[in-house]
Amino acid sequence: MNLHDSLLPPHAEMVRAMLERDTAYEGVFFTAVKTTGIFCRPSCTARKPKPENVEFFAHADEAMSAGYRACLRCKPLDAAAIAPAWIQALLKAVDAEPDLRWTDALLLEQGIEPLKLRRWFKQHFGMTFHAYLRTRRLGIALGGIKEGISIDNAAFDSGYESLSGFRDAFVKSFHITPGRAAHSEPLLFTRLTTPLGPMLAMAERRGLVLLEFLDRPALTREIEELQQRYGYTVAPGHNPHLQQIETELADYFAGKLTSFSVPLHMPGSAFAVRVWAELEKIPYGETRSYGNIATALGSPGASRAVGLANGQNRLAIVIPCHRVIGADGSLTGYGGGQPRKAFLLRLEKAAVQVSLPLAF
């Protein structure tokens, strides 16, 4: 699966969606008006600008980095935190009837344009809707195999008429045979929308394992490491940990949550685990330098090693590596990009200031 397929829709299609206030493109792109310096959701009810005065961005932070401010009417930073209603309804229907075959004809009956759906899933999941359904069914089969169901029954329950077809599809999706999968740990993933762009969340039975921005350059390498070094088999799906982080992230971006409680599972080297544990201790709204963390670990000369472990953190925001800055107060590097790091620090600082009692 291509998790980095984040290309914008064709320019003409974005112009049409903007002019028609098409809610199907919520979260897919943002419109920025050059003459006003404001960026909006595609469905904003404000008077539409001339197309030649508009530029489009895939993520809200890109628009902010370009100098645009959020529209006060449609509030794009708030609205980006949820998928459009028609996508939410479709995913609920898929969860309710996982065996239902969603043909294009059935989608049209539900008022869903198959081409729009294909583009939305390619933009946010890196695969088409039908590929998502196939992989999801295989993920259910994987869970059944782990619980002791025979490979034959798992294949037929997944809708495959031949074992060879099931095995080929299984290997293509998970890069492991069904027999070997019985001894692997399923790692379920889902895509989450946030004000700073889409994120990928992955969790197993013990807790959340990965939470990263989809455009993070190191994401593919991180997933490959989880598969090859730690034996995970990756599949789309949901579990209580993924549901919990979705709720907690929304509260965090709303300034209502200062500490995450979702269970975590963080495979890594002994030193990296110690660094991550120290990151968790940094209070909300505060920062620490790499030297501060090295000293807290009893290794004051290990700032460079701390920086390396900091960059290996797979749980963005939850393990707050964004709160680590340079000794001179500079933002330094951040896997999700410095604009996002600056945004997160501003968000936390503003929330802390709002919570402080007024002095008279």
Side-chain angles (χ1 to χ4, degrees), residues 32-260:
V33 185
K34 301 174 185 176
T35 52
T36 63
I38 291 173
F39 75 98
C40 306
R41 298 184 302 170
S43 62
C44 184
T45 57
R47 182 180 177 181
K48 293 302 178 183
K50 295 180 179 179
E52 59 266 28
N53 292 331
V54 173
E55 60 179 323
F56 299 99
F57 295 93
H59 307 300
D61 65 311
E62 293 174 352
M64 291 187 291
S65 296
Y68 291 96
R69 62 187 186 279
C71 174
L72 295 178
R73 178 176 294 192
C74 68
K75 298 180 179 179
L77 294 182
D78 294 338
I82 59 173
W86 65 283
I87 287 289
Q88 293 186 57
L90 178 60
L91 291 177
K92 287 181 180 179
V94 169
D95 287 338
E97 295 186 77
D99 296 329
L100 182 62
R101 299 292 177 173
W102 287 89
T103 63
D104 285 355
L106 180 57
L107 289 170
L108 289 170
E109 287 179 11
Q110 302 297 317
I112 299 173
E113 170 57 48
L115 182 58
K116 287 183 182 178
L117 181 63
R118 177 185 178 88
R119 287 174 177 165
W120 196 94
F121 264 80
K122 285 289 288 182
Q123 174 77 18
H124 296 88
F125 281 94
M127 61 179 71
T128 66
F129 175 63
H130 293 297
Y132 169 85
L133 292 180
R134 287 194 296 272
T135 307
R136 189 180 185 281
R137 285 195 296 271
L138 289 169
I140 294 174
L142 169 64
I145 292 172
K146 286 287 296 182
E147 293 174 2
I149 296 177
S150 70
I151 295 175
D152 290 8
N153 288 337
F156 296 130
D157 289 345
S158 300
Y160 287 85
E161 298 180 356
S162 71
L163 287 177
S164 61
F166 173 73
R167 291 176 188 275
D168 290 344
F170 198 97
V171 171
K172 184 177 180 180
S173 291
F174 302 138
H175 308 289
I176 190 174
T177 64
R180 290 184 59 195
H183 306 290
S184 67
E185 181 70 37
L187 185 62
L188 301 181
F189 75 85
T190 190
R191 177 262 189 201
L192 305 176
T193 45
T194 79
L196 294 183
M199 299 187 78
L200 184 74
M202 292 182 156
E204 50 128 287
R205 56 186 173 82
R206 288 170 288 189
L208 188 69
V209 174
L210 180 144
L211 179 67
E212 292 281 27
F213 291 101
L214 276 178
D215 57 3
R216 173 171 164 80
L219 180 58
T220 298
R221 175 179 52 77
E222 290 179 337
I223 294 174
E224 290 175 349
E225 181 184 38
L226 289 171
Q227 292 173 310
Q228 298 171 9
R229 184 173 181 179
Y230 298 105
Y232 284 112
T233 303
V234 177
H238 288 85
N239 63 21
H241 306 314
L242 294 176
Q243 294 168 353
Q244 183 175 350
I245 188 56
E246 183 172 17
T247 299
E248 291 189 356
L249 267 183
D251 289 341
Y252 170 83
F253 279 109
K256 301 176 182 178
L257 184 143
T258 61
S259 179
F260 292 89

Side-chain angles (χ1 to χ4, degrees), residues 290-323:
Y290 296 103
N292 293 151
I293 296 174
T295 299
L297 293 172
S299 304
S303 297
R304 200 165 180 180
V306 165
L308 180 61
N310 194 65
Q312 294 171 341
N313 171 35
R314 305 184 196 93
L315 291 166
I317 303 178
V318 177
I319 302 298
C321 55
H322 61 277
R323 296 176 192 160

